[in-house]
Amino acid sequence: MISVEEAKKLIIENTSISENSEEVHCELAAGKILAEDIFSPTDLPPFRQAAMDGYGIALTKETQSINHKVIAEVRAGDYVERPVDAQSAVRIFTGARVPDDVNCLVIQENVNANNDTITSDKADFLKPMANIRPQGEQVQKGALALKKGTLLTPASVGYLNSMGIEKIKVIKPAKIGILVTGDELQKPGSALDKAQVYESNSGMLKSVLHYTLGLKDVSIHFVKDDFNSVKETIDHIFKESDLLLVTGGISAGKYDFVKRALEELGVNSIFYKIAQKPGKPLYFGKKASKAVFGLPGNPAAALTCYYQYVYPYLKKHQGHSSYFLPEQNMTLKNSFAKKPGLAMFLKAKANGSEVEISQGQASSMLHTFSEANAFVYLPSETGEVKTGEPVKVNLLNH
């Protein structure tokens, strides 16, 4: 049995970034990780560009004031080739291409316009390249615009589109297989026998994969408590998925066949059992580039283990640079007693700088979890914590 800290360290050390990529339209790329370096195919802006509405002039060392004749108008999308001399001006609008002779753009608020003449005796704004965006100011043609491994945002999409880029390669979302074990489980919507319960883990895990990471390619498989069936189903899932999540069947009970099946299929066990509560019998193993987590069967324990271990595995696998839930210290609003020995992840409600540990911490209970927005983490050596003390908190809604 290993510590929480060692388990997390082993997961990150044994996780590689996926080499699978796919091409997507830029507008669908936000939230994904860039799988290639992007070099700009153009200068951005592609020409000298007006930053404001105003008047473009050919500024010289002798220019002290403005008394210029307006000889043309340039709107965004227009291009004027007419020469502009020291006594001429061009009416120009934001985003328009600045004529080659113009080297100063005077904003319209700083001049007096009368028919086709502009005047002003102000000299403090007569500066070279005033209100003109240089060609290639953002990025120059051929320069590295975005690095491989960048987390793409809506701003990234706009940046790519502004360079004329329509499609890019991103890390392909992981394909997940969920295996549900247990003869006592029935799907929601069906009738229950006297000794059966409704199965909730698969829907919960599929939902949290989409909710936290946007992963949609998730298959769910049900298997009876029979060794050969468990082994065959696991083998099938491994061939089709990047990650296998097994709920239940990982402990040492008479009908818990998962660990033995994984061993016979050549899965390398990285660790089994963590000194924590809930979720002590967590399993993590690898087979080539694929991984498997054996999650507890109790729903709250399974979801806790997802957030603390599966989530960071997938964050690294998908190319993110930070992996774990956000952590901060908060002031405890209510006391809680535990015995030293096992670390604990306690469902809690965080509000501002304070956090309150929820009632109902049993690993089978989801009603408390459904109202929680944080975990209070109590390390293994911690005993009782009292109201007003600082505690480590993992935030769920981030």
Side-chain angles (χ1 to χ4, degrees):
M1 190 160 57
I2 62 175
S3 68
V4 167
E5 291 71 24
E6 187 177 359
K8 292 185 175 182
K9 180 172 179 288
L10 286 170
I11 287 171
I12 298 306
E13 288 178 348
N14 286 279
T15 305
S16 57
I17 297 174
S18 174
E19 296 181 358
N20 297 325
S21 65
E22 62 179 0
E23 188 175 63
V24 299
H25 284 272
C26 289
E27 60 264 28
L28 301 177
K32 300 181 185 297
I33 300 295
L34 190 60
E36 59 180 343
D37 288 332
I38 299 293
F39 296 90
S40 179
T42 183
D43 289 330
L44 191 62
F47 44 75
R48 295 190 312 142
Q49 191 177 51
M52 305 282 282
D53 289 350
Y55 296 87
I57 64 174
L59 186 69
T60 69
K61 292 181 179 179
E62 289 73 31
T63 307
Q64 298 297 320
S65 61
I66 293 175
N67 188 357
H68 290 63
K69 182 178 180 180
V70 180
I71 61 171
E73 181 178 278
V74 189
R75 295 178 297 172
D78 289 344
Y79 176 57
V80 173
E81 294 184 349
R82 187 173 177 179
V84 181
D85 59 28
Q87 287 76 45
S88 302
V90 176
R91 180 77 166 105
I92 191 166
F93 296 92
T94 303
R97 179 168 179 158
V98 176
D100 293 342
D101 295 331
V102 170
N103 62 359
C104 177
L105 194 153
V106 183
I107 63 174
Q108 58 190 17
E109 291 84 355
N110 287 336
V111 301
N112 296 313
N114 184 16
N115 295 323
D116 61 350
T117 301
I118 57 170
T119 59
S120 177
D121 57 4
K122 298 179 180 179
D124 55 348
F125 53 78
L126 297 177
K127 298 177 182 179
M129 294 301 292
N131 302 308
I132 297 175
R133 299 169 183 152
Q135 181 174 337
E137 180 182 36
Q138 280 199 69
V139 65
Q140 296 182 354
K141 183 177 180 178
L144 180 63
L146 286 175
K147 291 178 62 176
K148 178 180 178 180
T150 298
L151 172 61
L152 297 166
T153 65
S156 306
V157 172
Y159 183 37
L160 291 162
N161 285 164
S162 67
M163 290 181 279
I165 296 172
E166 181 186 15
K167 297 179 180 180
I168 53 170
K169 289 183 179 179
V170 297
I171 292 180
K172 189 175 182 179
K175 187 174 183 179
I176 315 295
I178 297 174
L179 177 63
V180 180
T181 68
D183 290 344
E184 77 282 10
L185 303 176
Q186 280 282 51
K187 296 179 182 180
S190 60
L192 290 179
D193 290 338
K194 292 182 178 180
Q196 292 179 323
V197 295
Y198 286 120
E199 191 277 321
S200 61
N201 283 353
S202 62
M204 177 182 70
L205 291 171
K206 184 174 183 178
S207 176
V208 77
L209 286 163
H210 182 246
Y211 176 70
T212 58
L213 295 168
L215 297 175
K216 301 177 182 178
D217 194 351
V218 180
S219 60
I220 298 175
H221 309 261
F222 294 86
V223 66
K224 295 296 184 180
D225 290 327
D226 170 78
F227 175 74
N228 289 330
S229 297
V230 170
K231 181 179 176 182
E232 289 172 5
T233 306
I234 289 176
D235 188 40
H236 170 74
I237 297 173
F238 258 125
K239 291 174 181 176
E240 294 193 342
S241 306
D242 301 304
L243 174 66
L244 166 62
L245 302 179
V246 184
T247 70
I250 196 64
S251 296
K254 181 178 179 181
Y255 298 102
D256 292 331
F257 300 119
V258 172
K259 191 169 182 292
R260 177 184 156 198
L262 292 171
E263 291 172 352
E264 292 196 10
L265 289 169
V267 176
N268 176 35
S269 175
I270 307 300
F271 65 75
Y272 174 54
K273 291 188 178 181
I274 305 176
Q276 68 176 28
K277 186 179 180 181
K280 179 180 174 182
L282 182 71
Y283 174 96
F284 175 57
K286 293 291 295 292
K287 185 176 182 181
S289 63
K290 303 188 178 187
V292 55
F293 283 92
L295 302 172
N298 278 319
L303 191 55
T304 298
C305 287
Y306 169 83
Y307 276 112
Q308 297 297 332
Y309 304 105
V310 180
Y311 175 78
Y313 169 86
L314 285 168
K315 288 277 280 187
K316 182 173 181 182
H317 181 268
Q318 297 298 117
H320 293 261
S321 57
S322 60
Y323 317 128
F324 299 99
L325 292 173
E327 182 179 281
Q328 63 185 75
N329 288 330
M330 291 187 175
T331 301
L332 190 61
K333 290 185 67 176
N334 54 339
S335 61
F336 185 86
K338 71 177 272 295
K339 296 180 180 179
L342 294 179
M344 292 192 75
F345 294 102
L346 299 168
K347 299 174 285 292
K349 295 179 183 178
N351 184 15
S353 61
E354 296 183 319
V355 64
E356 181 178 3
I357 296 173
S358 303
Q359 299 296 319
Q361 293 291 332
S363 59
S364 59
M365 294 182 178
L366 282 176
H367 75 282
T368 304
F369 220 142
S370 67
E371 298 175 349
N373 64 0
F375 290 113
V376 169
Y377 175 59
L378 301 181
S380 59
E381 65 274 12
T382 300
E384 183 180 4
V385 286
K386 297 181 179 179
T387 302
E389 290 185 354
V391 289
K392 290 183 179 180
V393 177
N394 294 144
L395 300 176
L396 294 177
N397 299 329
H398 62 283

mmCIF file of all heavy atoms in Angstrom, residues 156-199:
data_model
loop_
_atom_site.group_PDB
_atom_site.id
_atom_site.type_symbol
_atom_site.label_atom_id
_atom_site.label_comp_id
_atom_site.label_asym_id
_atom_site.label_seq_id
_atom_site.Cartn_x
_atom_site.Cartn_y
_atom_site.Cartn_z
ATOM 1 N N SER A 156 -7.108 31.920 -29.324
ATOM 2 C CA SER A 156 -6.231 31.201 -30.247
ATOM 3 C C SER A 156 -6.921 30.971 -31.586
ATOM 4 O O SER A 156 -6.302 31.089 -32.649
ATOM 5 C CB SER A 156 -5.818 29.841 -29.661
ATOM 6 O OG SER A 156 -5.263 29.964 -28.391
ATOM 7 N N VAL A 157 -8.213 30.634 -31.523
ATOM 8 C CA VAL A 157 -8.978 30.406 -32.752
ATOM 9 C C VAL A 157 -9.013 31.672 -33.592
ATOM 10 O O VAL A 157 -8.791 31.649 -34.805
ATOM 11 C CB VAL A 157 -10.406 29.924 -32.418
ATOM 12 C CG1 VAL A 157 -11.270 29.871 -33.676
ATOM 13 C CG2 VAL A 157 -10.360 28.558 -31.745
ATOM 14 N N GLY A 158 -9.273 32.811 -32.934
ATOM 15 C CA GLY A 158 -9.280 34.077 -33.654
ATOM 16 C C GLY A 158 -7.927 34.397 -34.253
ATOM 17 O O GLY A 158 -7.829 34.890 -35.392
ATOM 18 N N TYR A 159 -6.875 34.140 -33.512
ATOM 19 C CA TYR A 159 -5.499 34.375 -33.982
ATOM 20 C C TYR A 159 -5.197 33.518 -35.202
ATOM 21 O O TYR A 159 -4.670 34.011 -36.217
ATOM 22 C CB TYR A 159 -4.552 34.058 -32.829
ATOM 23 C CG TYR A 159 -3.085 34.293 -33.086
ATOM 24 C CD1 TYR A 159 -2.637 35.357 -33.840
ATOM 25 C CD2 TYR A 159 -2.133 33.433 -32.529
ATOM 26 C CE1 TYR A 159 -1.276 35.581 -34.043
ATOM 27 C CE2 TYR A 159 -0.779 33.647 -32.716
ATOM 28 C CZ TYR A 159 -0.356 34.718 -33.478
ATOM 29 O OH TYR A 159 0.987 34.922 -33.678
ATOM 30 N N LEU A 160 -5.553 32.243 -35.157
ATOM 31 C CA LEU A 160 -5.321 31.349 -36.297
ATOM 32 C C LEU A 160 -6.112 31.801 -37.518
ATOM 33 O O LEU A 160 -5.591 31.843 -38.636
ATOM 34 C CB LEU A 160 -5.699 29.919 -35.910
ATOM 35 C CG LEU A 160 -4.791 29.232 -34.895
ATOM 36 C CD1 LEU A 160 -5.489 28.035 -34.263
ATOM 37 C CD2 LEU A 160 -3.483 28.781 -35.551
ATOM 38 N N ASN A 161 -7.366 32.137 -37.308
ATOM 39 C CA ASN A 161 -8.195 32.596 -38.430
ATOM 40 C C ASN A 161 -7.662 33.878 -39.035
ATOM 41 O O ASN A 161 -7.733 34.089 -40.256
ATOM 42 C CB ASN A 161 -9.638 32.801 -37.988
ATOM 43 C CG ASN A 161 -10.402 31.495 -37.801
ATOM 44 O OD1 ASN A 161 -11.455 31.467 -37.175
ATOM 45 N ND2 ASN A 161 -9.906 30.384 -38.336
ATOM 46 N N SER A 162 -7.095 34.749 -38.202
ATOM 47 C CA SER A 162 -6.581 36.025 -38.719
ATOM 48 C C SER A 162 -5.353 35.830 -39.600
ATOM 49 O O SER A 162 -5.010 36.705 -40.391
ATOM 50 C CB SER A 162 -6.244 36.968 -37.555
ATOM 51 O OG SER A 162 -5.155 36.490 -36.800
ATOM 52 N N MET A 163 -4.709 34.669 -39.459
ATOM 53 C CA MET A 163 -3.591 34.325 -40.346
ATOM 54 C C MET A 163 -4.073 33.568 -41.580
ATOM 55 O O MET A 163 -3.260 33.135 -42.399
ATOM 56 C CB MET A 163 -2.553 33.477 -39.585
ATOM 57 C CG MET A 163 -1.790 34.248 -38.532
ATOM 58 S SD MET A 163 -0.564 33.223 -37.681
ATOM 59 C CE MET A 163 -1.584 32.357 -36.497
ATOM 60 N N GLY A 164 -5.387 33.379 -41.686
ATOM 61 C CA GLY A 164 -5.938 32.672 -42.832
ATOM 62 C C GLY A 164 -5.939 31.169 -42.680
ATOM 63 O O GLY A 164 -6.186 30.442 -43.644
ATOM 64 N N ILE A 165 -5.671 30.677 -41.446
ATOM 65 C CA ILE A 165 -5.589 29.237 -41.210
ATOM 66 C C ILE A 165 -6.985 28.698 -40.904
ATOM 67 O O ILE A 165 -7.681 29.194 -40.022
ATOM 68 C CB ILE A 165 -4.614 28.928 -40.061
ATOM 69 C CG1 ILE A 165 -3.203 29.366 -40.459
ATOM 70 C CG2 ILE A 165 -4.642 27.446 -39.699
ATOM 71 C CD1 ILE A 165 -2.198 29.294 -39.339
ATOM 72 N N GLU A 166 -7.394 27.661 -41.620
ATOM 73 C CA GLU A 166 -8.727 27.094 -41.482
ATOM 74 C C GLU A 166 -8.744 25.832 -40.637
ATOM 75 O O GLU A 166 -9.649 25.615 -39.835
ATOM 76 C CB GLU A 166 -9.295 26.777 -42.863
ATOM 77 C CG GLU A 166 -10.696 26.198 -42.847
ATOM 78 C CD GLU A 166 -11.182 25.767 -44.227
ATOM 79 O OE1 GLU A 166 -10.342 25.658 -45.145
ATOM 80 O OE2 GLU A 166 -12.390 25.531 -44.380
ATOM 81 N N LYS A 167 -7.716 24.975 -40.794
ATOM 82 C CA LYS A 167 -7.666 23.697 -40.088
ATOM 83 C C LYS A 167 -6.296 23.523 -39.429
ATOM 84 O O LYS A 167 -5.287 24.006 -39.933
ATOM 85 C CB LYS A 167 -7.917 22.531 -41.049
ATOM 86 C CG LYS A 167 -9.294 22.527 -41.697
ATOM 87 C CD LYS A 167 -9.431 21.344 -42.660
ATOM 88 C CE LYS A 167 -10.796 21.318 -43.321
ATOM 89 N NZ LYS A 167 -10.933 20.176 -44.262
ATOM 90 N N ILE A 168 -6.289 22.803 -38.325
ATOM 91 C CA ILE A 168 -5.044 22.514 -37.607
ATOM 92 C C ILE A 168 -5.096 21.096 -37.059
ATOM 93 O O ILE A 168 -6.161 20.479 -36.985
ATOM 94 C CB ILE A 168 -4.819 23.498 -36.442
ATOM 95 C CG1 ILE A 168 -6.052 23.518 -35.536
ATOM 96 C CG2 ILE A 168 -4.456 24.881 -36.935
ATOM 97 C CD1 ILE A 168 -5.848 24.266 -34.256
ATOM 98 N N LYS A 169 -3.931 20.606 -36.648
ATOM 99 C CA LYS A 169 -3.860 19.300 -36.009
ATOM 100 C C LYS A 169 -3.846 19.467 -34.491
ATOM 101 O O LYS A 169 -3.074 20.260 -33.955
ATOM 102 C CB LYS A 169 -2.608 18.536 -36.465
ATOM 103 C CG LYS A 169 -2.677 18.047 -37.899
ATOM 104 C CD LYS A 169 -1.436 17.238 -38.247
ATOM 105 C CE LYS A 169 -1.518 16.715 -39.687
ATOM 106 N NZ LYS A 169 -0.308 15.932 -40.062
ATOM 107 N N VAL A 170 -4.704 18.706 -33.834
ATOM 108 C CA VAL A 170 -4.765 18.711 -32.374
ATOM 109 C C VAL A 170 -4.614 17.276 -31.876
ATOM 110 O O VAL A 170 -4.779 16.321 -32.634
ATOM 111 C CB VAL A 170 -6.097 19.299 -31.869
ATOM 112 C CG1 VAL A 170 -6.235 20.750 -32.269
ATOM 113 C CG2 VAL A 170 -7.288 18.482 -32.375
ATOM 114 N N ILE A 171 -4.265 17.143 -30.600
ATOM 115 C CA ILE A 171 -4.186 15.805 -30.012
ATOM 116 C C ILE A 171 -5.576 15.190 -30.010
ATOM 117 O O ILE A 171 -6.546 15.802 -29.553
ATOM 118 C CB ILE A 171 -3.602 15.852 -28.600
ATOM 119 C CG1 ILE A 171 -2.119 16.267 -28.670
ATOM 120 C CG2 ILE A 171 -3.747 14.512 -27.893
ATOM 121 C CD1 ILE A 171 -1.428 16.339 -27.341
ATOM 122 N N LYS A 172 -5.664 13.996 -30.530
ATOM 123 C CA LYS A 172 -6.950 13.317 -30.649
ATOM 124 C C LYS A 172 -7.466 12.935 -29.270
ATOM 125 O O LYS A 172 -6.728 12.385 -28.452
ATOM 126 C CB LYS A 172 -6.799 12.069 -31.518
ATOM 127 C CG LYS A 172 -8.105 11.400 -31.897
ATOM 128 C CD LYS A 172 -7.861 10.250 -32.861
ATOM 129 C CE LYS A 172 -9.171 9.596 -33.294
ATOM 130 N NZ LYS A 172 -8.942 8.492 -34.261
ATOM 131 N N PRO A 173 -8.719 13.221 -28.992
ATOM 132 C CA PRO A 173 -9.272 12.861 -27.679
ATOM 133 C C PRO A 173 -9.150 11.361 -27.408
ATOM 134 O O PRO A 173 -9.303 10.537 -28.311
ATOM 135 C CB PRO A 173 -10.742 13.282 -27.785
ATOM 136 C CG PRO A 173 -10.760 14.328 -28.841
ATOM 137 C CD PRO A 173 -9.704 13.923 -29.828
ATOM 138 N N ALA A 174 -8.851 11.033 -26.167
ATOM 139 C CA ALA A 174 -8.697 9.629 -25.784
ATOM 140 C C ALA A 174 -10.015 8.874 -25.943
ATOM 141 O O ALA A 174 -11.101 9.419 -25.743
ATOM 142 C CB ALA A 174 -8.215 9.543 -24.332
ATOM 143 N N LYS A 175 -9.883 7.608 -26.309
ATOM 144 C CA LYS A 175 -11.034 6.710 -26.394
ATOM 145 C C LYS A 175 -11.075 5.888 -25.111
ATOM 146 O O LYS A 175 -10.100 5.213 -24.761
ATOM 147 C CB LYS A 175 -10.902 5.803 -27.617
ATOM 148 C CG LYS A 175 -12.121 4.951 -27.899
ATOM 149 C CD LYS A 175 -11.971 4.200 -29.213
ATOM 150 C CE LYS A 175 -13.223 3.394 -29.545
ATOM 151 N NZ LYS A 175 -13.092 2.665 -30.835
ATOM 152 N N ILE A 176 -12.189 5.951 -24.414
ATOM 153 C CA ILE A 176 -12.304 5.348 -23.084
ATOM 154 C C ILE A 176 -13.276 4.171 -23.118
ATOM 155 O O ILE A 176 -14.347 4.250 -23.718
ATOM 156 C CB ILE A 176 -12.818 6.367 -22.053
ATOM 157 C CG1 ILE A 176 -12.100 7.707 -22.184
ATOM 158 C CG2 ILE A 176 -12.695 5.796 -20.641
ATOM 159 C CD1 ILE A 176 -10.641 7.666 -21.872
ATOM 160 N N GLY A 177 -12.886 3.087 -22.470
ATOM 161 C CA GLY A 177 -13.776 1.956 -22.269
ATOM 162 C C GLY A 177 -14.066 1.795 -20.785
ATOM 163 O O GLY A 177 -13.139 1.788 -19.969
ATOM 164 N N ILE A 178 -15.327 1.686 -20.439
ATOM 165 C CA ILE A 178 -15.733 1.493 -19.042
ATOM 166 C C ILE A 178 -16.290 0.086 -18.891
ATOM 167 O O ILE A 178 -17.189 -0.322 -19.643
ATOM 168 C CB ILE A 178 -16.799 2.520 -18.636
ATOM 169 C CG1 ILE A 178 -16.233 3.939 -18.719
ATOM 170 C CG2 ILE A 178 -17.308 2.237 -17.215
ATOM 171 C CD1 ILE A 178 -17.269 5.019 -18.473
ATOM 172 N N LEU A 179 -15.763 -0.665 -17.934
ATOM 173 C CA LEU A 179 -16.234 -2.022 -17.659
ATOM 174 C C LEU A 179 -16.926 -2.048 -16.304
ATOM 175 O O LEU A 179 -16.344 -1.653 -15.290
ATOM 176 C CB LEU A 179 -15.064 -3.010 -17.662
ATOM 177 C CG LEU A 179 -15.416 -4.452 -17.304
ATOM 178 C CD1 LEU A 179 -16.385 -5.046 -18.326
ATOM 179 C CD2 LEU A 179 -14.156 -5.308 -17.208
ATOM 180 N N VAL A 180 -18.157 -2.504 -16.306
ATOM 181 C CA VAL A 180 -18.947 -2.595 -15.076
ATOM 182 C C VAL A 180 -19.077 -4.058 -14.687
ATOM 183 O O VAL A 180 -19.531 -4.885 -15.479
ATOM 184 C CB VAL A 180 -20.345 -1.978 -15.279
ATOM 185 C CG1 VAL A 180 -21.156 -2.082 -13.994
ATOM 186 C CG2 VAL A 180 -20.225 -0.524 -15.723
ATOM 187 N N THR A 181 -18.677 -4.384 -13.465
ATOM 188 C CA THR A 181 -18.779 -5.752 -12.972
ATOM 189 C C THR A 181 -19.778 -5.817 -11.823
ATOM 190 O O THR A 181 -20.001 -4.827 -11.118
ATOM 191 C CB THR A 181 -17.410 -6.265 -12.478
ATOM 192 O OG1 THR A 181 -17.023 -5.541 -11.304
ATOM 193 C CG2 THR A 181 -16.332 -6.059 -13.549
ATOM 194 N N GLY A 182 -20.371 -6.974 -11.640
ATOM 195 C CA GLY A 182 -21.273 -7.166 -10.504
ATOM 196 C C GLY A 182 -22.607 -7.733 -10.923
ATOM 197 O O GLY A 182 -23.377 -7.095 -11.645
ATOM 198 N N ASP A 183 -22.918 -8.974 -10.477
ATOM 199 C CA ASP A 183 -24.187 -9.619 -10.821
ATOM 200 C C ASP A 183 -25.392 -8.919 -10.197
ATOM 201 O O ASP A 183 -26.524 -9.081 -10.664
ATOM 202 C CB ASP A 183 -24.170 -11.083 -10.346
ATOM 203 C CG ASP A 183 -23.215 -11.939 -11.170
ATOM 204 O OD1 ASP A 183 -22.816 -11.480 -12.259
ATOM 205 O OD2 ASP A 183 -22.874 -13.050 -10.723
ATOM 206 N N GLU A 184 -25.140 -8.141 -9.163
ATOM 207 C CA GLU A 184 -26.259 -7.500 -8.449
ATOM 208 C C GLU A 184 -26.740 -6.224 -9.139
ATOM 209 O O GLU A 184 -27.748 -5.633 -8.716
ATOM 210 C CB GLU A 184 -25.837 -7.171 -7.012
ATOM 211 C CG GLU A 184 -24.934 -5.957 -6.836
ATOM 212 C CD GLU A 184 -23.469 -6.197 -7.184
ATOM 213 O OE1 GLU A 184 -23.151 -7.272 -7.757
ATOM 214 O OE2 GLU A 184 -22.641 -5.311 -6.890
ATOM 215 N N LEU A 185 -26.051 -5.799 -10.195
ATOM 216 C CA LEU A 185 -26.339 -4.505 -10.803
ATOM 217 C C LEU A 185 -27.354 -4.611 -11.943
ATOM 218 O O LEU A 185 -27.281 -5.516 -12.774
ATOM 219 C CB LEU A 185 -25.041 -3.874 -11.324
ATOM 220 C CG LEU A 185 -23.938 -3.683 -10.282
ATOM 221 C CD1 LEU A 185 -22.675 -3.145 -10.943
ATOM 222 C CD2 LEU A 185 -24.398 -2.748 -9.170
ATOM 223 N N GLN A 186 -28.248 -3.661 -11.977
ATOM 224 C CA GLN A 186 -29.230 -3.559 -13.044
ATOM 225 C C GLN A 186 -29.195 -2.151 -13.625
ATOM 226 O O GLN A 186 -28.955 -1.166 -12.912
ATOM 227 C CB GLN A 186 -30.644 -3.844 -12.518
ATOM 228 C CG GLN A 186 -30.955 -5.333 -12.367
ATOM 229 C CD GLN A 186 -31.276 -5.992 -13.695
ATOM 230 O OE1 GLN A 186 -30.536 -5.860 -14.664
ATOM 231 N NE2 GLN A 186 -32.388 -6.700 -13.771
ATOM 232 N N LYS A 187 -29.469 -2.051 -14.913
ATOM 233 C CA LYS A 187 -29.474 -0.741 -15.560
ATOM 234 C C LYS A 187 -30.696 0.058 -15.103
ATOM 235 O O LYS A 187 -31.783 -0.498 -14.913
ATOM 236 C CB LYS A 187 -29.501 -0.905 -17.082
ATOM 237 C CG LYS A 187 -28.258 -1.584 -17.653
ATOM 238 C CD LYS A 187 -28.375 -1.733 -19.164
ATOM 239 C CE LYS A 187 -27.162 -2.467 -19.733
ATOM 240 N NZ LYS A 187 -27.254 -2.632 -21.214
ATOM 241 N N PRO A 188 -30.542 1.374 -14.956
ATOM 242 C CA PRO A 188 -31.697 2.212 -14.615
ATOM 243 C C PRO A 188 -32.810 2.052 -15.655
ATOM 244 O O PRO A 188 -32.544 1.941 -16.852
ATOM 245 C CB PRO A 188 -31.114 3.634 -14.653
ATOM 246 C CG PRO A 188 -29.660 3.442 -14.365
ATOM 247 C CD PRO A 188 -29.287 2.145 -15.016
ATOM 248 N N GLY A 189 -34.040 2.018 -15.181
ATOM 249 C CA GLY A 189 -35.178 1.841 -16.071
ATOM 250 C C GLY A 189 -35.717 0.430 -16.098
ATOM 251 O O GLY A 189 -36.842 0.197 -16.550
ATOM 252 N N SER A 190 -34.918 -0.521 -15.631
ATOM 253 C CA SER A 190 -35.368 -1.912 -15.580
ATOM 254 C C SER A 190 -35.914 -2.231 -14.188
ATOM 255 O O SER A 190 -35.718 -1.477 -13.238
ATOM 256 C CB SER A 190 -34.215 -2.855 -15.927
ATOM 257 O OG SER A 190 -33.144 -2.686 -15.016
ATOM 258 N N ALA A 191 -36.584 -3.366 -14.082
ATOM 259 C CA ALA A 191 -37.133 -3.783 -12.795
ATOM 260 C C ALA A 191 -36.056 -4.434 -11.940
ATOM 261 O O ALA A 191 -35.144 -5.084 -12.458
ATOM 262 C CB ALA A 191 -38.288 -4.761 -13.022
ATOM 263 N N LEU A 192 -36.161 -4.252 -10.640
ATOM 264 C CA LEU A 192 -35.199 -4.822 -9.706
ATOM 265 C C LEU A 192 -35.757 -6.067 -9.042
ATOM 266 O O LEU A 192 -36.921 -6.103 -8.622
ATOM 267 C CB LEU A 192 -34.833 -3.809 -8.622
ATOM 268 C CG LEU A 192 -33.996 -2.589 -9.007
ATOM 269 C CD1 LEU A 192 -33.786 -1.715 -7.787
ATOM 270 C CD2 LEU A 192 -32.667 -3.008 -9.609
ATOM 271 N N ASP A 193 -34.900 -7.100 -8.933
ATOM 272 C CA ASP A 193 -35.215 -8.212 -8.049
ATOM 273 C C ASP A 193 -34.920 -7.794 -6.614
ATOM 274 O O ASP A 193 -34.355 -6.725 -6.367
ATOM 275 C CB ASP A 193 -34.392 -9.450 -8.428
ATOM 276 C CG ASP A 193 -34.848 -10.039 -9.763
ATOM 277 O OD1 ASP A 193 -35.996 -9.773 -10.154
ATOM 278 O OD2 ASP A 193 -34.044 -10.749 -10.396
ATOM 279 N N LYS A 194 -35.237 -8.662 -5.693
ATOM 280 C CA LYS A 194 -35.108 -8.311 -4.281
ATOM 281 C C LYS A 194 -33.676 -8.017 -3.864
ATOM 282 O O LYS A 194 -33.445 -7.225 -2.942
ATOM 283 C CB LYS A 194 -35.680 -9.432 -3.414
ATOM 284 C CG LYS A 194 -37.203 -9.576 -3.530
ATOM 285 C CD LYS A 194 -37.717 -10.669 -2.613
ATOM 286 C CE LYS A 194 -39.240 -10.785 -2.695
ATOM 287 N NZ LYS A 194 -39.765 -11.848 -1.808
ATOM 288 N N ALA A 195 -32.698 -8.640 -4.501
ATOM 289 C CA ALA A 195 -31.302 -8.474 -4.079
ATOM 290 C C ALA A 195 -30.489 -7.613 -5.046
ATOM 291 O O ALA A 195 -29.261 -7.604 -4.991
ATOM 292 C CB ALA A 195 -30.646 -9.849 -3.941
ATOM 293 N N GLN A 196 -31.137 -6.893 -5.932
ATOM 294 C CA GLN A 196 -30.430 -6.103 -6.933
ATOM 295 C C GLN A 196 -30.487 -4.607 -6.620
ATOM 296 O O GLN A 196 -31.351 -4.132 -5.890
ATOM 297 C CB GLN A 196 -31.027 -6.361 -8.325
ATOM 298 C CG GLN A 196 -30.783 -7.767 -8.848
ATOM 299 C CD GLN A 196 -31.398 -7.977 -10.208
ATOM 300 O OE1 GLN A 196 -32.479 -7.465 -10.499
ATOM 301 N NE2 GLN A 196 -30.716 -8.743 -11.053
ATOM 302 N N VAL A 197 -29.529 -3.893 -7.192
ATOM 303 C CA VAL A 197 -29.490 -2.430 -7.074
ATOM 304 C C VAL A 197 -29.236 -1.844 -8.461
ATOM 305 O O VAL A 197 -28.752 -2.535 -9.366
ATOM 306 C CB VAL A 197 -28.379 -1.965 -6.104
ATOM 307 C CG1 VAL A 197 -28.661 -2.429 -4.691
ATOM 308 C CG2 VAL A 197 -27.009 -2.441 -6.567
ATOM 309 N N TYR A 198 -29.569 -0.583 -8.614
ATOM 310 C CA TYR A 198 -29.333 0.071 -9.897
ATOM 311 C C TYR A 198 -27.859 0.455 -10.036
ATOM 312 O O TYR A 198 -27.222 0.929 -9.084
ATOM 313 C CB TYR A 198 -30.202 1.311 -10.036
ATOM 314 C CG TYR A 198 -31.649 0.995 -10.305
ATOM 315 C CD1 TYR A 198 -32.647 1.419 -9.430
ATOM 316 C CD2 TYR A 198 -32.027 0.281 -11.440
ATOM 317 C CE1 TYR A 198 -33.983 1.139 -9.673
ATOM 318 C CE2 TYR A 198 -33.356 -0.015 -11.686
ATOM 319 C CZ TYR A 198 -34.327 0.415 -10.812
ATOM 320 O OH TYR A 198 -35.648 0.127 -11.056
ATOM 321 N N GLU A 199 -27.347 0.236 -11.223
ATOM 322 C CA GLU A 199 -25.950 0.576 -11.532
ATOM 323 C C GLU A 199 -25.859 2.050 -11.875
ATOM 324 O O GLU A 199 -26.587 2.557 -12.725
ATOM 325 C CB GLU A 199 -25.470 -0.280 -12.714
ATOM 326 C CG GLU A 199 -23.971 -0.218 -12.957
ATOM 327 C CD GLU A 199 -23.555 0.988 -13.772
ATOM 328 O OE1 GLU A 199 -24.288 1.362 -14.722
ATOM 329 O OE2 GLU A 199 -22.500 1.565 -13.460
#
